[in-house]
Amino acid sequence: GLNQSSSSMGIPEDFVKHTLSIPFNDFEALEETFKKFGSQIAGLIMEPIAANMGIVPPQKGFLEKARELTQKHGALLIFDEVITGFRVSLGGAQELYNVKPDLTCLGKIVGGGFPAAAFGGRADVMSVLSPLGGVYQAGTLSGNPVAMHAGLTTLKLIQRPGLYLELEQKAQTITAPIQEAIKGKNITLNRVGTIFTLFFGVNSVNSFDDALKADTEQYKAFFNALFESGIYPPPSAHEAWFVSAAHTLEDLKETSELIICNVPNISSL
């Protein structure tokens, strides 16, 4: 389960050889890698809910196992919460699953959608950065007043009591009828909170290999049919769908009905 190649051109082999890549949700590969290389591993970087291959939730105990092994071997556990941060709960996936990483990365949500990003975590790790420590880190847009004001406003708004219950209800409004319609149809819907993905041609998706088996041609036809109906889903079969506080229940019911009408094999089976 160990992969040592870059998915992008321009990455020198010298960098690649210092990086180990293992499949998401693969307990065996995780344990074997730490058993073999534990003393050399500086950190484990992962999305707590895989969201760049479509939504793939962590299997029960996978995040806990990652936390246990990193602590045991003195490696940092780093969660990429660029997609999951503030979406699946106010405290992100780490709050939802009650697993605390050493460092967390967040994307433009911290700027309310404006250009900004952030990372943070344990004080002893953060103190290695300048001006306290010897690692220099700076950013051109860090602390941009417009982005910071927008980010602060967003954070205040999403702390409104009941917001996440409403979001869960909205997510269920769009996905529950689809789940019902695709039963026994070789189609999978993975959802955590307000983020979900439809995979065509597969019965379950728990890993990247599973996601790669999905029928992208069927998805293209599905995308085009929805787009012509006035619905703009993600153009890639491996992207996440996001339910927003701005969506109304009426929007979501209508979208759900249109999805069911256009899902391949639903009406013909």
Side-chain angles (χ1 to χ4, degrees):
L2 201 58
N3 175 34
Q4 273 193 283
S5 62
S6 171
S7 59
S8 172
M9 293 169 68
I11 308 293
E13 280 302 309
D14 274 0
F15 292 173
V16 175
K17 72 182 183 186
H18 294 297
T19 307
L20 306 171
S21 177
I22 60 172
F24 189 68
N25 275 336
D26 190 329
F27 286 81
E28 198 179 325
L30 185 66
E31 299 212 36
E32 279 298 306
T33 303
F34 271 97
K35 191 176 176 182
K36 196 171 178 183
F37 303 101
S39 62
Q40 300 170 62
I41 295 173
L44 170 61
I45 305 172
M46 65 188 295
E47 285 188 298
I49 301 165
N52 275 292
M53 55 194 189
I55 297 302
V56 180
Q59 291 192 321
K60 195 174 181 192
F62 186 69
L63 299 182
E64 289 83 352
K65 179 56 72 176
R67 178 66 286 182
E68 178 197 317
L69 289 168
T70 46
Q71 275 179 333
K72 181 181 171 185
H73 292 276
L76 295 178
L77 179 61
I78 304 163
F79 278 178
D80 168 356
E81 294 238 39
V82 170
I83 288 177
T84 53
F86 307 127
R87 251 195 195 103
V88 293
S89 79
L90 192 59
Q94 57 196 268
E95 180 182 67
L96 188 67
Y97 294 107
N98 195 28
V99 175
K100 192 175 181 183
D102 302 301
L103 289 173
T104 301
C105 309
L106 293 166
K108 59 182 177 286
I109 187 61
V110 294
F114 280 83
F119 67 93
R122 273 174 31 198
D124 61 317
V125 179
M126 296 303 288
S127 66
V128 175
L129 298 170
S130 61
L132 297 175
V135 177
Y136 185 71
Q137 193 277 332
T140 309
L141 294 169
S142 296
N144 175 284
V146 177
M148 294 303 96
H149 188 76
L152 192 59
T153 304
T154 301
L155 284 173
K156 285 176 180 170
L157 288 169
I158 63 174
Q159 288 179 63
R160 174 170 65 77
L163 176 74
Y164 283 91
L165 281 172
E166 285 171 30
L167 285 170
E168 177 63 26
Q169 184 196 358
K170 287 181 177 185
Q172 283 184 16
T173 298
I174 187 170
T175 57
I178 301 168
Q179 287 280 27
E180 193 58 38
I182 64 175
K183 272 183 184 169
K185 299 286 196 299
N186 204 30
I187 299 168
T188 295
L189 191 154
N190 278 354
R191 176 176 81 88
V192 181
T194 60
I195 53 179
F196 67 93
T197 304
L198 268 168
F199 298 95
F200 297 134
V202 281
N203 283 319
S204 66
V205 178
N206 296 306
S207 67
F208 185 51
D209 282 348
D210 290 348
L212 288 180
K213 290 171 192 160
D215 190 329
T216 53
E217 287 306 309
Q218 273 197 339
Y219 186 85
K220 278 180 194 170
F222 169 72
F223 170 86
N224 287 327
L226 275 188
F227 192 68
E228 282 165 23
S229 304
I231 304 294
Y232 190 9
S236 162
H238 296 113
E239 285 183 316
W241 301 51
F242 304 116
V243 177
S244 153
H247 289 125
T248 65
L249 289 174
E250 289 70 33
D251 290 336
L252 296 165
K253 280 174 189 162
E254 185 187 335
T255 304
S256 189
E257 285 161 16
L258 277 165
I259 288 169
I260 292 165
C261 289
N262 288 291
V263 164
N265 304 328
I266 287 274
S267 48
S268 59
L269 286 178

